[in-house]
Amino acid sequence: MSAHSPAVAAPAPLDHATVRSIIIGIMLAMLLAALDQTIVATALPTIGQELGDVEHLSWVVSAYLLASTAVTPLYGKFSDIHGRRVTLLVSITVFIVGSVVCALAPTMLALILARALQGLGGGGLISLAQTIIADVVSPKERGRYQGYIASVFVTSSVVGPVLGGLFADHLHWSVIFWINLPLGLGAFWMVWGALRRLPRHERRHKLDVLGAVLMVGATVAAMLALTWGGTRYAWGSSEILGLFAVSLVFWVLFAVRLLKADEPLIPLAVMVNPVVGTGTAAAFCVMGTFIGLSIYVPVYLEGILGLSASNAGLALMPLMAGTVTGANIAGRFMARMTHYKRTPLVGLVIAAAALVLLALDPAGRPMWLVEVLLAAIGLGLGTVLPVTTISIQNAVAMHQLGTATGCMNFFRSLGSAIVVAGFGAIVLGAIGGGGPGRSAENLGDLTPAMREGLVGAFHWLFLAAAVGLALGFVWLLLMEERPLRSGAAAHAKEALVE
């Protein structure tokens, strides 16, 4: 078999029951990763007290984020080589083992290392789930399933913090990791059985180990700089500038490797694909803005509008619900509209306008209007996510789905880290440190001068978010609008990237 011919013939279409069982299995796998990122936050103070180390508490989050972001493209490439099923099973297994080690960790250092191990597994869950949906559902019908993906994230964002607080206060902090054991075993069982009939599109490849090492090194250095900048070290400090310099060197070496390797980690055909490039850039801007808002809007609700932490969580729901609604609308319209980009383009205009309205008077908007504006922002943001994902997957050959999807998710995560760091610099400058990790009591005790500074900070933060969406609008406008294929076999034959 040549490296340029499919490994197997085009598979017959799967029946609805099989597709449904596959979707349920991968949604459970996605819930593992999504819930883990939200359930830990509210338990952090308790973890710090019981392990006697508050100073390094932020690394419980950062270690997972660093590891999961760095390995996301590797999972995509690995699945293109060895198949989705075995790769997802490996990802789930590593995640479960990491969760058990986290639950048993006796010290903060052990917990941080265990979280890094957990992240090595979690980095593949979401990306592989999106790739598997692309394997079993044609691009024309795929949009309706993107709403299911969005609902997983919204469920985790609402349920996770509540469960984390309940487990830490009334049971033990380790339960937030033990809960991953039954969920993970359930996901493993579903994937083990349901994905046996998954169509296979892998080809004979070899993993570019040197390219992978260079990319991981560049990512880790950049993420460390973004994590420490403005908190542990000043942005202009030698430590942060040195990390950015190291990252830049690794990225340059990685680019050279892509040009010279016989089979680079990310094929040049994928890198230069106009749909993949512009679609990923749009997702980078929009997803980064969404994550930044989801983290800092509660600070706005508590510090400026005076809500309690629990009420701020409830007040954030329109943003999340709007995102799911927007994803469902755009996903369903994709199957019916020739010019499917119009929906997210209109959505971004609406979201940016709502952000500008918030920016003009952050402290003077009535609560009902704030909720309406948050819903409009979520609605607009949600329309972009399925369109960029499906467009990118529609533009590549089936044997490159994992690589393209993994790269998209990698840059979405990197965009989130950059935007969160930027938003953090704006807010931290107003309240003198603490950021989103500040307790509700601290935000409630802000002096009048600090509160006024916070109002000014959110004026600029909302404007910065609007600019981020404007950039996403430009990239989406530039993205080529290719016809969506209506069948997996046609997709395999007609994909323009070979």
Side-chain angles (χ1 to χ4, degrees):
M1 186 185 303
S2 71
H4 300 288
S5 61
V8 293
L14 300 177
D15 59 80
H16 178 69
T18 302
V19 172
R20 183 175 57 190
S21 64
I22 290 174
I23 296 296
I24 292 173
I26 63 176
M27 284 183 66
L28 192 54
M30 289 182 68
L31 183 62
L32 277 174
L35 186 62
D36 186 79
Q37 296 183 44
T38 59
I39 198 173
V40 172
T42 49
L44 285 178
T46 303
I47 293 173
Q49 289 177 358
E50 295 207 11
L51 295 182
D53 187 351
V54 178
E55 180 182 355
H56 300 100
L57 201 57
S58 63
W59 276 101
V60 175
V61 175
S62 299
Y64 182 94
L65 183 63
L66 283 167
S68 61
T69 300
V71 300
T72 295
L74 301 183
Y75 274 109
K77 182 70 173 183
F78 194 84
S79 75
D80 284 340
I81 299 174
H82 299 289
R84 320 289 187 222
R85 179 172 173 268
V86 65
T87 307
L88 184 55
L89 289 174
V90 169
S91 179
I92 294 172
T93 300
V94 174
F95 186 87
I96 293 174
V97 172
S99 298
V100 172
V101 178
C102 284
L104 298 174
T107 65
M108 182 61 72
L109 176 60
L111 179 59
I112 291 170
L113 294 175
R115 284 284 286 170
L117 174 62
Q118 193 185 33
L120 293 178
L125 295 177
I126 294 173
S127 180
L128 289 172
Q130 292 177 324
T131 305
I132 290 169
I133 290 179
D135 282 330
V136 299
V137 184
S138 70
K140 203 168 185 66
E141 298 297 322
R142 203 172 298 156
R144 68 180 62 181
Y145 296 99
Q146 298 298 317
Y148 299 158
I149 293 177
S151 67
V152 169
F153 286 98
V154 171
T155 299
S156 66
S157 67
V158 174
V159 175
V162 176
L163 288 179
L166 288 175
F167 291 160
D169 290 341
H170 302 290
L171 296 174
H172 189 265
W173 63 264
S174 62
V175 179
I176 67 176
F177 299 111
W178 285 122
I179 195 176
N180 289 331
L181 190 58
L183 288 175
L185 292 175
F188 190 96
W189 178 75
M190 289 290 295
V191 169
W192 179 271
L195 266 61
R196 285 185 180 275
R197 293 188 59 193
L198 189 69
R200 302 187 65 163
H201 307 287
E202 63 268 21
R203 297 186 176 189
R204 288 181 180 175
H205 294 287
K206 60 181 179 180
L207 184 63
D208 180 14
V209 177
L210 177 57
V213 170
L214 292 173
M215 189 205 66
V216 169
T219 304
V220 170
M223 295 289 287
L224 283 173
L226 293 170
T227 301
W228 283 339
T231 54
R232 184 165 185 158
Y233 303 104
W235 284 106
S237 65
S238 58
E239 290 84 359
I240 300 302
L241 294 178
L243 284 170
F244 277 128
V246 169
S247 178
L248 179 61
V249 169
F250 273 107
W251 280 123
V252 170
L253 293 174
F254 178 67
V256 172
R257 179 65 181 175
L258 290 184
L259 293 173
K260 292 190 174 182
D262 293 334
E263 189 173 349
L265 181 67
I266 304 175
L268 291 179
V270 173
M271 292 286 290
V272 301
N273 185 298
V275 177
V276 175
T278 53
T280 299
F284 176 98
C285 297
V286 174
M287 178 57 83
T289 302
F290 170 69
I291 297 298
L293 289 174
S294 66
I295 290 176
Y296 283 99
V297 164
V299 179
Y300 163 71
L301 295 171
E302 295 175 43
I304 294 179
L305 301 186
L307 300 186
S308 65
S310 57
N311 286 336
L314 293 174
L316 193 65
M317 290 183 68
L319 178 67
M320 302 301 181
T323 303
V324 175
T325 303
N328 274 299
I329 291 173
R332 293 184 181 277
F333 278 7
M334 282 194 80
R336 304 174 186 174
M337 299 175 62
T338 302
H339 300 292
Y340 48 82
K341 287 198 311 184
R342 292 176 180 175
T343 303
L345 289 173
V346 171
L348 286 177
V349 171
I350 293 172
L355 283 165
V356 171
L357 286 176
L358 276 176
L360 292 177
D361 190 6
R365 302 299 184 197
M367 194 62 214
W368 68 267
L369 181 56
V370 170
E371 296 287 65
V372 169
L373 293 175
L374 288 177
I377 294 167
L379 188 71
L381 291 171
T383 60
V384 179
L385 305 181
V387 172
T388 52
T389 299
I390 295 170
S391 296
I392 289 169
Q393 293 174 336
N394 182 65
V396 300
M398 293 296 284
H399 67 277
Q400 293 176 330
L401 271 176
T403 300
T405 307
C407 289
M408 177 196 66
N409 280 283
F410 167 75
F411 283 106
R412 278 171 36 162
S413 297
L414 194 60
S416 301
I418 291 172
V419 172
V420 168
F423 284 5
I426 295 172
V427 174
L428 292 175
I431 59 178
R438 290 178 67 99
S439 66
E441 292 78 13
N442 287 339
L443 287 173
D445 292 338
L446 294 177
T447 65
M450 291 175 67
R451 188 177 298 275
E452 180 145 351
L454 196 61
V455 172
F458 274 96
H459 164 76
W460 291 110
L461 186 147
F462 289 137
L463 285 180
V467 171
L469 297 190
L471 292 174
F473 180 94
V474 172
W475 285 116
L476 191 62
L477 194 63
L478 294 173
M479 187 182 75
E480 184 180 340
E481 203 170 42
R482 296 182 181 177
L484 299 179
R485 293 163 179 87
S486 57
H491 188 188
K493 293 177 182 178
E494 300 175 21
L496 299 182
V497 175
E498 297 294 342

